[in-house]
Amino acid sequence: MPIENMKDNTGGFSPAARIDAHIKKKRSFFRSTFIVFLGMLLSRFLGMLRDMVTASFFGASANGVLDAFVAAFRLPDIARKLFGDGSLSVSFIPVFSKVYHQDRQKARKLLTAVLTIIFVVLCFLIFISEIICFIGFSYFEQSNKVSLVSYYFAILLPFIILVGMVAITSAALQTAGHFTFPAFISAVLNVIWIFALLFAAPRLTSDPAAQGCVLAVSIVLAGLLQLFLLLWRLKQLGFKPEFHFKEIMPELKTVFAVFFPQLFGLMSVPLMLLSATVLAWLFSGPAGTTSLITGNLFLFPLRSGAVSALYFSERLFEFPQGLIGLVLMTVIYPLLSKHAAQKDFKQFGKDLSMGIRILLIFSIPAGIGLMMFANRLAHLLFQRGQFTAEDTARTADMIFWFGIGVWAFCALPIMIRAFYLFDDIRTPFLTGLFSVGFHFVLALVLIHTVKEKGLALSISISAILQFCLLFFLFAKKHGHIDFRGILLCMIRSFAAGVFMFIATAAIMKTLPGNDSLSDISHIGLGGGIGLLVYFSVLKILGGDELSKSKRRGL
C-alpha cells in the first residue's frame, strides 16, 4: 500500500470492532518488536563471525595491515553509529514521525530534504578528505603506515555518505511501520565482508595490503546495495522525491538544531573510541622504533597491533551494552516519555531509579564475566589463522579493562535520554564534551605507563565519570531520584559479584584444557554456576528489584 494512502480506518466503528482493531494493533506491535529483535540478533551473530574471519585472515600485528584498515574504518563506523543509532536518528525520527502522521506529501519533502543535505554536505567533506588522503599516500613512502591508512581511507570515504542515507531511509521505513528491511539490512554488510575475505581477496591477490583494498571496495559495494534495497522498498510503498523544501524549513531547522548539541551526549563513548584509535595508531610501531610524533626523542610507547586489539576488545563489550542497555531502553523509555508528557515528575524519578537498579543487577555480573573470561573469550573467538597467542593476550588485557566500565556503558544512554525528555540538551552535551576531553588526556598519560591497556582503562573511567556527573546533575535539577535504593542495589550487586567471582574461579580451576572445547566448558559451566550464585546471594541480601519491577509493569 502506498505511504500516502495509509490511513486510520477505526474511526466510527462499533466498540467490538474497535477492540478487534486494538488487538490487531497489539499483535502488529509484538510482530514488529520480534522482527527488530531477530534482525539485531542476526546482526550481532554475523558481526561476531565477521570479526572472527577478519582476525584469522589478517592477524593483529603480523604486518600492520589490520591496524591500518581498522584505523581507516573507524570513522565510517562512527558515522554509522552517529546516523543510525546516535544523534541524527534521535533528532530526525520524532520530527519525521509527527509530519508523517499529519501530511504524507510534506513527509516526503522532509525525507528528500534530509537525504539531499546529507549527500551534499558529506560529498563536500569527503572531497576535502580525499585530497588529504592523496597527500598522505603521495608524500609518504608506500611502506609507511600513513600511506597505507590513506589508501584504505580514500577507498572507504564514500561509504560514509551511504551510511548516512541508509540510516535515514531505514528510520523513514520504521516510522511508516515497515520494519523488515531496516531490521535485516545490516546483515548485507556482514555477509559481503565475510565473502570478500573468504573468497574474493585470496583469489585476486596474495599481498595482505592489496587484500585490504579488496575488503575496502567490498564494504563500499555493500553500502550501495543496502541503499538500493531500502530505496527500492520506499518506491514500492509509493515514495517519490519531492524537491520543494520551502514548506518544511521549520522542521529541517528543528532536526539539525537538535542534532549538533546531541553529538557529544549520545556519541561520547564512540568518540572516545575514535580518539583511542587515533592515539593507538599514532603512538604504535614495531618494537624499538621511534615515534611518528616525537621523532628520535622517544620510542613508540605502543607496539604494532594496538589498534586491532582495541577493535576486537571493543566488539566484545558492545555485546552486553547492546543487549542489556537496548532491551531496558525499549521497555522503560515509553514509560518515562509518558510521565514527562504528563509532568508526573515523581513517578518519572521512581521509574528511572528502578530502571537504573535493574540495569545494575544485570550489567555488573556481565562486566565481571568479561573480566574473568577475557582470555577464554579472546582465545575461543579470535586465535586461529594469522591471529597469534600474543595477539590473544593483548586483546584479552583490553577486554579485562573494558569490563570495569560495562555498567556505565549500559546506563549512559538511559541517563542521557532522561535529560532529553526534559528538553535539556545542554547538560549531556557539556558532560559528554568534558568526558571525551578527560579521556584523551588520561589516555595520553596511561599509554606511557600501562601501555595499550591504558586506552581501555581511560574509556571505562571516563564513561563512569560521565554517568556520575549526569546522575547527580539530574538529581539536582529534577529531583525524585532514589539515592538510597540505587546505592544499596549497587552494594548488593557488587557483594553478590564477589561470591560470583569466587564460585566461577573455583569451577575454572577444576576444569582442564586450553583448547576451544575447554573454552566453551569454562565459559558455559563457570559462567552458569557463577550467575546462579550471583542471583542467589543477591536474593539473600534483599535484592527485590525484579519483583518490584513486575508489579510496576516494567
Side-chain angles (χ1 to χ4, degrees), residues 433-506:
L433 184 63
F434 172 77
S435 64
V436 171
F438 177 81
H439 149 72
F440 188 82
V441 174
L442 182 61
L444 272 175
V445 174
L446 291 178
I447 61 174
H448 288 88
T449 53
V450 294
K451 308 303 180 185
E452 61 200 25
K453 295 187 285 290
L455 296 171
L457 179 58
S458 64
I459 293 174
S460 292
I461 292 173
S462 301
I464 293 170
L465 175 63
Q466 185 183 0
F467 173 81
C468 292
L469 286 172
L470 287 170
F471 180 78
F472 287 110
L473 287 172
F474 187 89
K476 184 180 178 181
K477 287 188 173 187
H478 307 295
H480 305 296
I481 292 292
D482 183 10
F483 277 102
R484 183 175 180 276
I486 292 173
L487 180 61
L488 287 175
C489 177
M490 182 173 282
I491 293 171
R492 284 193 296 262
S493 297
F494 277 115
V498 171
F499 285 92
M500 170 188 170
F501 175 86
I502 295 170
T504 304

Side-chain angles (χ1 to χ4, degrees), residues 54-220:
T54 305
S56 174
F57 193 85
F58 289 114
S61 55
N63 44 39
V65 170
L66 189 57
D67 267 9
F69 184 85
V70 169
F73 183 69
R74 177 62 73 184
L75 190 58
D77 191 42
I78 293 292
R80 177 186 61 80
K81 294 174 182 176
L82 173 66
F83 291 120
D85 307 319
S87 53
L88 185 57
S89 62
V90 170
S91 61
F92 170 74
I93 290 174
V95 177
F96 181 76
S97 178
K98 182 179 178 181
V99 174
Y100 173 80
H101 290 100
Q102 293 174 348
D103 186 339
R104 300 297 161 81
Q105 185 178 13
K106 192 175 179 181
R108 291 199 299 270
K109 292 178 181 178
L110 178 60
L111 177 57
T112 306
V114 172
L115 288 174
T116 302
I117 290 171
I118 289 174
F119 181 79
V120 172
V121 172
L122 289 181
C123 277
F124 173 75
L125 294 176
I126 285 169
F127 176 74
I128 302 298
S129 301
E130 293 284 6
I131 294 174
I132 296 171
C133 289
F134 177 77
I135 294 171
F137 55 70
S138 299
Y139 180 78
F140 292 92
E141 295 180 9
Q142 196 164 5
S143 59
N144 190 284
K145 69 177 187 177
V146 176
S147 177
L148 191 56
V149 169
S150 299
Y151 271 115
Y152 292 154
F153 196 46
I155 297 171
L156 286 167
L157 277 171
F159 184 66
I160 297 176
I161 303 173
L162 300 170
V163 160
M165 299 183 75
V166 163
I168 295 302
T169 48
S170 294
L173 281 168
Q174 288 173 332
T175 304
H178 298 272
F179 294 90
T180 304
F181 270 62
F184 292 96
I185 202 67
S186 61
V188 173
L189 172 62
N190 291 326
V191 169
I192 291 179
W193 186 311
I194 293 168
F195 176 83
L197 289 181
L198 292 181
F199 301 103
R203 284 166 174 74
L204 291 173
T205 178
S206 59
D207 177 31
Q211 289 172 339
C213 290
V214 173
L215 177 57
V217 171
S218 300
I219 289 172
V220 176

Side-chain angles (χ1 to χ4, degrees), residues 377-393:
L377 286 167
H379 182 269
L380 174 65
L381 296 174
F382 304 128
Q383 190 173 320
R384 57 184 57 82
Q386 299 296 315
F387 203 89
T388 65
E390 183 186 358
D391 297 335
T392 297

